[in-house]
Amino acid sequence: LEFRRVLFRSPEDDASRSAAIVSTIRNALQERRIRSGPAVFSVSGQQVFIRFVKLPQVEEAKVVQIIKYEAQQNVPFPIDEVVWDYQLIGGTESEEVDVVLLAMKSKIIEELNDGVQAAGLRTIKVDVAPMALYNALRFNYGDLEGCTVVLDIGARTTNLLFVEHNKLFSRSIPIAGNAITQSIASEFDVSFLEAEQMKR
């Protein structure tokens, strides 16, 4: 219940959100008797610049150079102020290679990482929610026939993925569970937590 309260906090509570997340992670570790150690966390697609780029078939050694150039051309922030990475999507010997280019301001990653470390964990990997969903889908279901839609409704963001063969389309929509809860709270003139319980 405590973790849900942190996830479904009212937007006015953003200033205390970091402290609440640290406290909640610590409590969850203690309650479940989980020792501190390595951690993987994902960031909302809403906080990440995502660009789909097509590359010609080139030898593997040149892929990183081309993608670095594409990052410098496409990322709308100074490249030294972001953390960026990429993932190859599909492609065969005779086709262009589809690349998902991802970039996020370093400051945001550092703030999130500080919270994770303050809770006693050690970050070994940071993922982006839409790509984590895509990779989980491919890992668990392999090559699916036809078009597959994945809809992930979170507290503040809804991730929408369309996957068809080696093609991927992804959008993060800034409307999710909190918007529904806020509407209920306004309509019935109750607190955010009461509205969340009514929604459930």
Side-chain angles (χ1 to χ4, degrees), residues 44-194:
S44 164
Q46 202 65 24
Q47 296 177 302
V48 180
F49 173 80
I50 301 175
R51 176 67 51 96
F52 293 87
V53 180
K54 285 192 178 295
L55 296 183
Q57 278 289 345
V58 294
E59 57 190 66
E60 198 171 329
K62 292 185 180 177
V63 169
V64 175
Q65 287 178 310
I66 295 172
I67 292 173
K68 185 173 183 180
Y69 173 78
E70 290 290 339
Q72 291 168 338
Q73 299 303 308
N74 287 292
V75 174
F77 314 111
I79 205 73
D80 59 341
E81 293 178 14
V82 300
V83 175
W84 67 273
D85 205 349
Y86 68 93
Q87 180 171 332
L88 302 177
I89 304 289
T92 67
E93 297 286 323
S94 60
E95 296 176 345
E96 292 179 312
V97 178
D98 290 319
V99 178
V100 181
L101 177 63
L102 307 130
M104 184 175 194
K105 287 197 170 183
S106 303
K107 184 179 177 183
I108 296 171
I109 290 275
E110 289 164 8
E111 287 173 2
L112 292 169
N113 189 51
D114 288 348
V116 170
Q117 290 188 339
L121 299 172
R122 179 176 44 85
T123 303
I124 58 169
K125 182 177 180 179
V126 177
D127 209 339
V128 176
M131 293 311 299
L133 282 171
Y134 170 77
N135 291 327
L137 177 74
R138 295 306 295 253
F139 180 81
N140 287 296
Y141 297 98
D143 292 327
L144 293 167
E145 302 248 343
C147 182
T148 301
V149 176
V150 179
L151 182 66
D152 172 36
I153 302 173
R156 294 180 181 217
T157 306
T158 296
N159 291 307
L160 179 65
L161 279 81
F162 290 90
V163 181
E164 187 172 15
H165 304 296
N166 287 326
K167 295 178 183 174
L168 168 67
F169 172 82
S170 171
R171 281 291 178 269
S172 290
I173 306 162
I175 299 171
N178 278 2
I180 297 168
T181 304
Q182 286 172 337
S183 294
I184 293 170
S186 296
E187 185 68 29
F188 293 98
D189 195 26
V190 295
S191 72
F192 191 83
L193 279 177
E194 286 176 286

